[in-house]
Amino acid sequence: MVGFKATDVPPTATVKFLGAGTAACIADLITFPLDTAKVRLQIQGERQGPVQAAASAQYRGVLGTILTMVRTEGPCSLYKGLVAGLQRQMSFASIRIGLYDSVKQFYTKGSEHAGIGSHLLAGSTTGALAVAVAQPTDVVKVRFQAHAQAGGGRRYQSTIEAYKTIAREEGFRGLWKGTSPNVARNAVVNCAELVTYDLIKDTLLKANLMTDDLPCHFTSAFAAGFCTTIIASPVDVVKTRYMNSALCQYRSAGHCALTMLQKEGPQAFYKGFMPSFLRLGSWNVVMFVTYEQLKRALMAACASRDAPF
């Protein structure tokens, strides 16, 4: 057995809620530069056609994007929007991941044999609910990540100022800008991520190919990250473009997607695919491995606290 030993008592909803938020914050701290590179690649060329965009591309590839940002804006640019990112994960991941099992049990009425439909329904529900709560933090995070500071001033002076400025200039609706594509994205992401992780892990355990420890969690998380990137990339690009857009640039998320298709072609929907995969793959591995260990550590701590001397 590698890592903390599984306890006989299953984790409580509170343990899952706190564990998911904490694990997601740890994963964000480690993979945030990849997320920033992904955002820069996704918004690149949005005001140009495919030929002009390719000719004038500032960022080329994951490593090229990171090196360009470090050279022109400094190393700290890779962590622009980190505060909003951590605020987002603490509220967002706690709901979409921490409440997933509880919602799944609700849909199956407590049955241990949950079908694929129950998994998908639970993933969609917690993903959509998480967006409704955490959308303003996502808008601010994307705005910080998308803004290139080289040769210009800062778009916002601080995270708090960003919330206030967006609310003042665009109204409270501005803080929930892109909610529709984000709900769609996170319903898809949650289903692909959590359901894939759940199913792969269960298959590995039932077939006795692995035991319920770190190698099993690593394999399941990595596979879930790859599946999620393929499925969710188009929605993710539209979400990023729309949330970062100027006032009245796009009439709706659908108009944003149509404009992308007309100006840049279908390949635009997979812009930033490699950093998306590197980010989601590594994020999933760090998050799920940490989450599984945190659940066990917290339950072990609760058991030792309640144990008689």
Side-chain angles (χ1 to χ4, degrees):
M1 172 67 72
V2 183
F4 285 98
K5 185 179 178 181
T7 57
D8 295 329
V9 181
T12 63
T14 303
V15 165
K16 291 176 184 176
F17 188 85
L18 293 175
T22 305
C25 285
I26 293 170
D28 243 31
L29 281 169
I30 295 171
T31 64
F32 206 78
L34 291 171
D35 192 42
T36 303
K38 177 204 75 171
V39 169
R40 292 293 179 92
L41 285 167
Q42 286 178 336
I43 64 170
Q44 181 169 250
E46 67 177 321
R47 292 181 175 84
Q48 301 169 309
V51 177
Q52 298 96 318
S56 61
Q58 180 184 5
Y59 307 115
R60 298 182 186 275
V62 185
L63 183 59
T65 301
I66 291 174
L67 290 175
T68 299
M69 290 180 63
V70 170
R71 186 176 65 252
T72 59
E73 303 173 54
C76 292
S77 65
L78 297 173
Y79 281 91
K80 278 184 177 179
L82 178 62
V83 174
L86 295 179
Q87 290 171 350
R88 173 181 180 267
Q89 291 300 352
M90 206 63 220
S91 54
F92 181 72
S94 296
I95 294 172
R96 79 175 183 93
I97 298 170
L99 297 183
Y100 171 73
D101 286 332
S102 300
V103 174
K104 184 174 66 177
Q105 289 173 1
F106 170 78
Y107 284 129
T108 58
K109 296 179 172 59
S111 172
E112 293 183 3
H113 305 288
I116 185 70
S118 300
H119 284 85
L120 293 172
L121 200 54
S124 300
T125 302
T126 57
L129 181 62
V131 170
V133 173
Q135 181 68 6
T137 62
D138 206 8
V139 171
V140 171
K141 178 182 81 77
V142 168
R143 297 279 181 96
F144 270 105
Q145 288 177 312
H147 180 60
Q149 192 180 329
R154 298 177 67 177
R155 190 173 185 178
Y156 306 111
Q157 296 302 314
S158 67
T159 304
I160 297 299
E161 197 230 343
Y163 288 119
K164 291 179 179 178
T165 302
I166 294 170
R168 184 176 64 251
E169 294 180 355
E170 303 175 41
F172 279 100
R173 289 181 62 183
L175 291 170
W176 269 268
K177 190 174 188 178
T179 299
S180 296
N182 214 10
V183 166
R185 174 193 180 269
N186 282 290
V188 171
V189 165
N190 230 31
C191 287
E193 196 173 75
L194 296 179
V195 175
T196 305
Y197 178 81
D198 228 0
L199 293 176
I200 292 173
K201 180 183 169 186
D202 286 346
T203 301
L204 291 172
L205 295 177
K206 287 176 181 176
N208 292 318
L209 296 173
M210 289 183 171
T211 54
D212 191 6
D213 53 16
L214 284 176
C216 176
H217 303 157
F218 180 95
T219 304
S220 304
F222 188 81
F226 182 72
C227 294
T228 304
T229 308
I230 292 175
I231 295 168
S233 272
V235 186
D236 190 37
V237 175
V238 172
K239 179 214 80 166
T240 300
R241 292 277 185 98
Y242 188 58
M243 287 200 304
N244 185 58
S245 64
L247 195 62
C248 300
Q249 182 178 348
Y250 302 115
R251 292 192 299 272
S252 64
H255 178 236
C256 176
L258 187 61
T259 303
M260 284 174 57
L261 184 63
Q262 291 172 338
K263 288 188 175 181
E264 302 169 65
Q267 67 272 19
F269 292 98
Y270 279 91
K271 274 192 169 183
F273 178 84
M274 188 50 67
S276 287
F277 170 59
L278 290 175
R279 193 260 176 181
L280 262 178
S282 56
W283 191 92
N284 268 280
V285 168
V286 176
M287 197 287 298
F288 277 115
V289 169
T290 306
Y291 179 46
E292 296 280 8
Q293 294 301 304
L294 275 174
K295 285 192 295 183
R296 295 178 180 187
L298 289 170
M299 289 306 294
C302 290
S304 62
R305 184 193 64 190
D306 297 335
F309 291 102

